[in-house]
Amino acid sequence: MIIFAGVEMLPGDSCTAFLEREAKGKLLENCREAQGLNRPAVERYLDWATSAVRGDLGVSANGEKSIAELVGSRLKNSLLLAACSLALGVPLAIFLGVVTGLWRDRPVDLTISTLAIFAMTIPEFVSATVLILVFSVWLGWLPGIVLTSANAPASEFFPEIILPVSVLTMVMTAHILRMVRSSVIEVMAGDYIQMATLKGVPYWRIVFRHALPNALLPAINVVALTIAWLLGGVVVIEVVFNYPGLGRMMIDAISDRDLPVVQAIALIVATVYVCVNLSADILTMFANPRLRTLHMRRG
């Protein structure tokens, strides 16, 4: 409803965007009548919401293609970008977070933490531009932008996808790394860790058996938020690298005042966001012994 109201408040509509200079007089009225834009906004929203509940996302504003067909290929491409970034970034972030947490204030911690802060503070479009300049323009190792069609199979996006994945991995790793590092430091300072140390339990047994299982629990929610961000919040990356994903499609749809497409993408991203966070909360509850015991007692 917020997305619908926001697009409605923008000046112009899909007909003015499509007709451009010819958007006037009878031609404009016929276009709005053909697309149903003369109907009240509330009536159009209720029609769209009713169809969306039934699984019908409708057709684009020009009526040429179904939204399911348009969004399907872009969703596949965004999922490919997210999967590659997660597969590379999550293990790397957890490993570096554990290393920096266990060797707190040592040179390795200071070096990795400093790089992580730089990765978090530098805007994504700056990082992307620098990578394009170095690896595409100067060295010529990788393509600077993605020229593959949106409907192409996933294998054809390589090696063009390497630079977008590198930028996303860098940002994602920095955030998860900082969370894991803080969690490891907090757990290693716990009373039961100190007690185990005083009893002479080997250090690495304490780390792998008692510290890491508890320290990595907060990372589940961070990874869930990262997945939601990867699917809908990588607009800058997709625009800079010309990547045919959902974020870039959303920008194009807003520019064209294609309200049905904007609403469909917002609905998909919101659904994924809710499902991923719900799954993360359930997984955290079953992985955390204290939350699991509390839930069983209440049950």
Side-chain angles (χ1 to χ4, degrees), residues 94-221:
I94 292 176
F95 173 74
L96 294 178
V98 172
V99 168
T100 54
L102 294 178
W103 282 277
R104 180 186 182 185
D105 297 334
R106 304 282 182 84
V108 63
D109 173 36
L110 298 177
T111 303
I112 295 175
S113 296
T114 303
L115 294 176
I117 291 173
F118 274 110
M120 293 170 62
T121 53
I122 296 177
E124 296 164 11
F125 68 89
V126 175
S127 306
T129 305
V130 171
L131 289 183
I132 291 175
L133 183 64
V134 174
F135 292 101
S136 180
V137 178
W138 290 351
L139 300 177
W141 290 353
L142 296 169
I145 58 174
V146 179
L147 298 177
T148 305
S149 169
N151 298 319
S155 58
E156 293 188 10
F157 282 94
F158 295 91
E160 295 175 342
I161 200 175
I162 292 178
L163 286 183
V165 168
S166 300
V167 177
L168 291 176
T169 301
M170 186 169 60
V171 178
M172 178 177 59
T173 300
H175 285 86
I176 299 177
L177 181 158
R178 299 290 296 173
M179 171 62 73
V180 174
R181 176 185 180 274
S182 301
S183 185
V184 169
I185 292 174
E186 181 181 353
V187 170
M188 291 299 292
D191 294 338
Y192 68 99
I193 297 295
Q194 301 299 323
M195 179 61 71
T197 305
L198 292 175
K199 286 185 175 181
V201 179
Y203 178 77
W204 290 111
R205 185 179 178 186
I206 295 175
V207 170
F208 287 107
R209 188 166 183 177
H210 301 288
L212 290 187
N214 293 305
L216 296 181
L217 285 177
I220 296 175
N221 293 93

Side-chain angles (χ1 to χ4, degrees), residues 214-234:
N214 293 305
L216 296 181
L217 285 177
I220 296 175
N221 293 93
V222 178
V223 172
L225 291 174
T226 304
I227 293 174
W229 168 74
L230 282 173
L231 196 57
V234 294

